[in-house]
Amino acid sequence: MSESIKEKIENEAKNLLNTYLQSGEDLKAKERTKIPCQVMINQDPLIRRYNLDEVALGFTKEQAQLEAMRCLQCVKKNCVLDCPVNINIPGFINHIAHGNFEAAIKIVKETTLLPAICGRVCPQESQCQLHCAVGKALKDVDQSVAIGRLERFVADWERETGKKVLPDMKAPTGKKVAVIGSGPAGLVVAADCKREGHHVTLFEAFHKMGGVLRYGIPEFRLPNSIIDEEIATLKDMGVELRTNYVVGRTRKLTDLIEKDKYDAVFIGTGAGLPIFSGIEGENLVGVFSANEYLTRANLMQAYDKEHADTPIFSSKIVAVLGGGNVAMDSARMAKRMGAETVYVIYRRTENEMPARKEEVLHAKEEGIEFRFLENVKRIVGDTYSCVNSIECLKYELGEPDETGRRRPVEISGSEFMQEVDTVIVAIGNGSNPLISQTTPRLKVNRKGNVLVDSNQKTSMDRVFAGGDIVLGAATVILAMGEGRKAAASINNMLLHDIQIEKAELQEVYNNALDI
Amino acid sequence: MNIIIYKEQLSKDVFLMRISAPLIAEERLPGQFIILQTNDNYGERIPLTIADANIEEGSITIIFQVVGKTTTELSLLQPGDYLPALVGPLGKPTHIDNFGKVVCVGGGIGVAPLYPIVQALKKAGNYVIIIMGARNKELLILENEMKSIADELIVCTDDGSYGRKGLVTQPLEELCKQAFKPDMVFAIGPPVMMKFCSLTTKPYNVFTQVSLNTIMVDGTGMCGGCRVNVNNEVKFVCVDGPEFDGHQVDFDNMIARLNAYKSFEKKKMKCFVEDSFKQKEVLL
């Protein structure tokens, strides 16, 4: 988006807001739905495809107020029901509409501690915004109130204006909680348990905190500085941070309870086991899991070729296999790493793609080429075992399968060769086996996902789990929702422990008095 | 934690370091490795096998050869310095049992990871024959340590500057040809050496365990960069290994994958050396 368009959008919003404010009257529903949807100002695609800076630049104050004024403040609040952490959406939006950002962020933070992250990466179009009355009235989900962008706006406003305050915390209880994995689920559990006064240790296998937020989601979608900020908040709250610690290897899970005397353990180790499709040539030089490619680029900062010691493959023509958000991230990252051509190869059509519409649009704007109804049959290498081409097969859509999506059917004899030098496999992740392998008592299903009850409790006493290790590969917000639920269960359990201990102490005291 | 307690230069490019890491020292078993960084912001993560550990001191011993930027930086650290990132123990431990007659082949720096395995095998009651190989006498490490525990020790150098002249596969083949052939072979060293040791023992049907050191990022199964073909199945060295049946490993593919970043690594090393010279010039 060029400077002049940016200015134009900003000015339009300013003028329009003034008109509404000057009229001084309360707007009727019909008038509210007539307020134009505010356009998110993005970095120009021709520029951003060569840098790592964030793509979406966020609303201006005026844009945020106007967008918030579109909300009808309906009684039913369908948006809240579809939010995994049940944010009081009309409540915070109402404050934004009145320009009271401080009150707005306070409401948001009652239920989510990570709004700057959720506002950026949540699939709002399939959650809160899906059932927005405005979107329904205008018969277009894209015309719903931009709840996610408003959430991001108030979170950024709070951070940028230095208004951030530590959440209230109860007095220390002397209870210890071990949180394994510092991804979205773990961060929520750490914060929620710390607020109840428990001592919390957050264990992370990598050298930096954040889990998938750090190694997986690229800088251009979620800047590292935002993750750093959230981690710093946890540190300021008194959460003990332990990096380079692999539970299951450095110490067994049972040792945390038996030797280190943790009163509760939360497993939030995520879906860290890349799936390969098993086709010929998958081990050739130049074939990567999306995890590896993104970890090199994000966590190890290989995008900064001058400073980083970790290399990233230099590619000219890249094929990304898969159609989810991780495939979009990989494709867009490959482009930024200098690839001339990047294909996303997906065996169904755009309609069936699981990736967020916005990410697909951004990818297209950045010059990513989509090859729908195609699939890779084998990867071919040269005499040095380096990828030089892929053999593709064409597909057509058949009858719907059990998920309701039309099943892709291969067209026999449609094979053709495509020259590429890099293949990034982004077809999903299994659950990481490290903890279950070394904790035989922990029950897991066939896929290796940890089994939990409705309170996120596992088969083991005092051990809870949540996020992708339970759900299989899902979303950041679902992981946070599970983390919230698990933290509540842990806090309940510990409160119960404390009550029993107090009662026992009282009895000892009473007995002593009797003597 | 992570403080370097002791440092010794074993040969021209090979260093031994004892590092305080009480948790790793307590948990580690033969065959396992660590990942370390000399800089936890821009530094790379390199896997190194644990050569020894001392629970009382709370330390682990690593032995490494200077091959690139990170190992050069590591070699420049002194006792008292500390490593910003050290994680482990990673990988599955070696399966130790009383196999009977065991031949342990260590090539170059591979003698280091072999050492704790030899110790454990001996403790389990095996008859242990060690074959050590290096390009020349200068590059031989841990000879005295190995001599003190081996039932038989055979030393080879490529140039004949010490011990037998020739490759480790020659004495290995001789041992396989004996009527009382080995029950098990452990081979750790450069990939080419492990490949040829496996090829040597295959006709004699002697099970050969190799320990692979592939490119890794996380070391916990998350990235899959370390994957190898074993019996036509994809395995992750970091969580399924690092030890595999040498007769089933596709070494050619593994060697190709190890070379994926060679040009980048060379360039980084060149920049590093040039920068250090520049810094020295400024200081002088």
Side-chain angles (χ1 to χ4, degrees):
Chain A
M1 205 172 282
S2 68
E3 276 306 305
S4 59
I5 299 175
K6 190 180 157 210
E7 263 172 46
K8 196 171 152 243
I9 292 173
E10 285 174 358
N11 284 331
E12 267 177 21
K14 228 176 232 172
N15 296 335
L16 194 57
L17 182 66
N18 271 335
T19 336
Y20 284 118
L21 292 180
Q22 273 162 12
S23 78
E25 282 168 40
D26 238 9
L27 295 176
K28 294 200 177 66
K30 212 163 200 178
E31 289 167 317
R32 288 184 188 272
T33 50
K34 276 194 186 138
I35 300 174
C37 277
Q38 293 304 298
V39 179
M40 181 65 120
I41 299 171
N42 290 328
Q43 237 202 105
D44 189 326
L46 291 175
I47 296 169
R48 73 178 191 237
R49 67 174 72 165
Y50 302 112
N51 70 43
L52 259 288
D53 298 340
E54 198 172 7
V55 169
L57 302 175
F59 279 157
T60 61
K61 273 186 200 176
E62 293 80 10
Q63 279 189 298
Q65 259 183 279
L66 275 176
E67 186 67 32
M69 284 160 72
R70 298 181 64 233
C71 174
L72 304 179
Q73 295 292 318
C74 39
V75 192
K76 264 181 108 181
K77 297 182 186 172
N78 283 331
C79 50
V80 181
L81 297 179
D82 279 321
C83 170
V85 293
N86 302 116
I87 297 177
N88 176 0
I89 293 166
F92 93 81
I93 289 184
N94 194 24
H95 282 304
I96 297 179
H98 290 96
N100 193 350
F101 306 136
E102 202 161 349
I105 187 67
K106 217 171 156 193
I107 291 186
V108 172
K109 289 179 92 175
E110 280 169 11
T111 43
T112 172
L113 283 170
L114 308 162
I117 295 172
C118 297
R120 284 173 166 81
V121 303
C122 266
Q124 292 98 6
E125 64 285 350
S126 57
Q127 295 176 357
C128 52
Q129 289 170 206
L130 182 63
H131 296 297
C132 170
V134 179
K136 292 253 162 184
L138 298 170
K139 297 193 173 64
D140 180 2
V141 67
D142 294 338
Q143 303 262 328
S144 294
V145 176
I147 300 166
R149 291 170 179 181
L150 289 173
E151 181 187 16
R152 168 188 165 156
F153 169 79
V154 279
D156 288 356
W157 174 86
E158 184 197 37
R159 195 177 64 253
E160 283 155 15
T161 52
K163 291 269 187 339
K164 214 164 169 179
V165 283
L166 286 188
D168 295 334
M169 277 176 289
K170 293 192 180 157
T173 59
K175 295 288 173 196
K176 284 169 71 179
V177 180
V179 178
I180 310 168
S182 65
L187 293 182
V188 169
V189 176
D192 281 5
C193 290
K194 185 67 203 164
R195 278 160 97 172
E196 284 302 305
H198 309 309
H199 175 86
V200 177
T201 312
L202 186 53
F203 295 100
E204 165 59 45
F206 269 128
H207 54 287
K208 283 183 184 170
M209 289 273 166
V212 72
L213 303 171
R214 174 87 62 182
Y215 74 72
I217 302 176
E219 177 80 12
F220 55 83
R221 272 215 300 138
L222 178 63
N224 277 331
S225 57
I226 290 175
I227 308 166
D228 291 339
E229 189 98 17
E230 301 300 349
I231 301 298
T233 305
L234 287 179
K235 203 175 171 188
D236 290 342
M237 286 167 71
V239 172
E240 183 189 357
L241 306 176
R242 296 218 49 184
T243 47
N244 296 305
Y245 199 111
V246 184
V247 176
R249 289 269 193 244
T250 308
R251 209 136 175 85
K252 288 184 196 71
L253 189 146
T254 43
D255 285 348
L256 291 178
I257 299 172
E258 286 156 21
K259 289 188 187 164
D260 302 337
K261 305 288 173 210
Y262 280 96
D263 299 286
V265 176
F266 174 78
I267 308 171
T269 47
L273 189 76
I275 294 172
F276 289 92
S277 53
I279 54 172
E280 187 187 323
E282 241 171 5
N283 275 14
L284 290 168
V285 177
V287 184
F288 304 93
S289 73
N291 278 359
E292 180 182 357
Y293 195 79
L294 291 172
T295 303
R296 285 176 179 274
N298 299 329
L299 173 79
M300 306 310 291
Q301 303 176 87
Y303 61 80
D304 188 347
K305 285 181 182 156
E306 196 191 325
H307 296 105
D309 291 340
T310 303
I312 194 151
F313 208 66
S314 51
S315 316
K316 279 202 168 66
I317 312 172
V318 180
V320 177
L321 317 186
N325 288 321
V326 177
M328 297 307 113
D329 287 344
S330 307
R332 297 169 71 194
M333 186 55 96
K335 193 90 192 174
R336 284 161 171 80
M337 292 295 106
E340 287 161 16
T341 311
V342 181
Y343 301 113
V344 169
I345 297 177
Y346 182 58
R347 61 196 186 121
R348 303 182 203 235
T349 72
E350 187 165 356
N351 292 331
E352 288 84 20
M353 261 212 309
R356 293 185 66 192
K357 226 164 132 183
E358 191 179 343
E359 306 305 329
V360 179
L361 178 71
H362 283 163
K364 281 183 178 169
E365 286 173 356
E366 288 161 17
I368 307 295
E369 294 175 39
F370 286 81
R371 303 271 291 260
F372 296 114
L373 293 168
E374 281 180 22
N375 201 10
V376 176
K377 204 175 159 191
R378 66 187 174 106
I379 306 166
V380 183
D382 59 17
T383 44
Y384 303 99
S385 289
C386 295
V387 175
N388 65 11
S389 56
I390 46 178
E391 188 181 7
C392 297
L393 193 62
K394 291 196 170 166
Y395 278 67
E396 58 191 354
L397 286 184
E399 294 302 307
D401 61 13
E402 62 277 6
T403 64
R405 294 190 298 180
R406 288 179 65 192
R407 198 189 299 272
V409 184
E410 54 179 75
I411 305 170
S412 60
S414 65
E415 288 91 345
F416 67 97
M417 298 303 290
Q418 167 70 55
E419 187 194 340
V420 298
D421 55 34
T422 307
V423 177
I424 302 174
V425 185
I427 55 170
N429 270 290
S431 50
N432 193 294
L434 262 188
I435 288 191
S436 54
Q437 267 176 12
T438 49
T439 320
R441 271 159 54 209
L442 188 71
K443 285 204 178 121
V444 296
N445 68 10
R446 202 173 38 83
K447 286 182 177 168
N449 298 323
V450 175
L451 294 172
V452 293
D453 65 13
S454 58
N455 295 318
Q456 306 295 134
K457 199 188 151 295
T458 67
S459 56
M460 284 173 72
D461 198 26
R462 304 200 162 262
V463 181
F464 298 77
D468 280 3
I469 191 70
V470 169
L471 297 166
T475 62
V476 168
I477 188 69
L478 284 173
M480 287 184 181
E482 293 222 314
R484 165 126 303 160
K485 220 158 72 180
S489 305
I490 291 171
N491 289 335
N492 276 338
M493 179 184 79
L494 295 181
L495 180 67
H496 185 68
D497 287 355
I498 293 167
Q499 282 165 346
I500 290 177
E501 281 161 22
K502 269 189 184 160
E504 282 170 0
L505 212 64
Q506 187 69 46
E507 209 179 303
V508 172
Y509 178 72
N510 291 347
N511 289 344
L513 282 186
D514 286 345
I515 300 163
Chain B
M1 275 209 316
N2 304 357
I3 294 170
I4 295 161
I5 302 171
Y6 175 81
K7 176 186 168 184
E8 185 187 338
Q9 189 161 3
L10 299 183
S11 74
K12 187 170 157 277
D13 290 329
V14 178
F15 292 82
L16 174 149
M17 269 182 188
R18 237 168 43 235
I19 305 165
S20 74
L23 287 176
I24 303 175
E26 200 178 313
E27 287 290 323
R28 74 92 211 191
L29 289 165
Q32 289 188 299
F33 63 94
I34 49 110
I35 283 183
L36 64 78
Q37 285 174 282
T38 47
N39 166 339
D40 67 353
N41 192 22
Y42 283 110
E44 63 177 332
R45 296 166 62 91
I46 59 162
L48 291 171
T49 316
I50 304 167
D52 206 350
N54 182 330
I55 297 179
E56 284 78 52
E57 190 182 47
S59 69
I60 57 164
T61 302
I62 54 165
I63 295 176
F64 60 93
Q65 184 167 17
V66 173
V67 286
K69 185 185 168 185
T70 305
T71 42
T72 304
E73 281 183 328
L74 186 61
S75 73
L76 296 172
L77 295 177
Q78 300 301 334
D81 290 343
Y82 97 111
L83 293 170
L86 174 68
V87 61
L90 300 168
K92 283 187 178 161
T94 309
H95 172 64
I96 301 287
D97 213 329
N98 190 349
F99 301 105
K101 182 175 171 182
V102 181
V103 178
C104 294
V105 188
I109 190 77
V111 173
L114 195 63
Y115 180 55
I117 296 171
V118 170
Q119 282 178 312
L121 286 170
K122 198 66 206 134
K123 215 172 158 184
N126 291 283
Y127 183 85
V128 182
I129 303 170
I130 296 170
I131 305 173
M132 284 172 61
R135 284 205 305 279
N136 57 52
K137 190 185 173 208
E138 296 289 287
L139 297 172
L140 275 174
I141 55 165
L142 299 179
E143 194 200 347
N144 288 333
E145 284 83 352
M146 288 300 206
K147 201 184 260 169
S148 69
I149 42 175
D151 293 293
E152 290 175 44
L153 179 74
I154 302 163
V155 181
C156 308
T157 51
D158 294 5
D159 64 354
S161 53
Y162 188 73
R164 281 178 64 160
K165 183 179 180 193
L167 302 172
V168 289
T169 43
Q170 290 161 1
L172 179 64
E173 175 135 37
E174 289 161 19
L175 288 166
C176 289
K177 274 183 179 157
Q178 288 177 358
F180 179 39
K181 66 176 185 180
D183 296 295
M184 174 102 172
V185 169
F186 284 86
I188 308 182
V192 178
M193 183 211 92
M194 292 193 281
K195 176 184 168 180
F196 282 98
C197 283
S198 302
L199 287 174
T200 303
T201 56
K202 203 171 180 186
Y204 302 97
N205 217 359
V206 176
F207 188 88
T208 302
Q209 184 98 314
V210 293
S211 179
L212 307 182
N213 189 354
T214 49
I215 290 174
M216 277 179 203
V217 184
D218 63 301
T220 62
M222 202 276 296
C223 81
C226 64
R227 65 194 190 279
V228 285
N229 282 323
V230 180
N231 196 16
N232 291 322
E233 248 184 84
V234 174
K235 293 281 179 192
F236 288 6
V237 171
C238 66
V239 286
D240 300 318
E243 295 179 1
F244 295 99
D245 176 355
H247 296 158
Q248 299 194 339
V249 172
D250 179 350
F251 282 103
D252 293 338
N253 178 257
M254 179 199 146
I255 292 166
R257 289 182 63 80
L258 269 171
N259 292 329
Y261 299 105
K262 270 278 157 0
S263 63
F264 177 93
E265 285 158 4
K266 271 191 192 142
K267 212 164 81 190
K268 269 282 154 188
M269 188 60 193
K270 197 170 158 249
C271 290
F272 176 68
V273 172
E274 281 169 5
D275 286 353
S276 335
F277 275 123
K278 264 184 220 153
Q279 275 173 7
K280 270 191 190 146
E281 273 167 23
V282 172
L283 287 174
L284 291 171

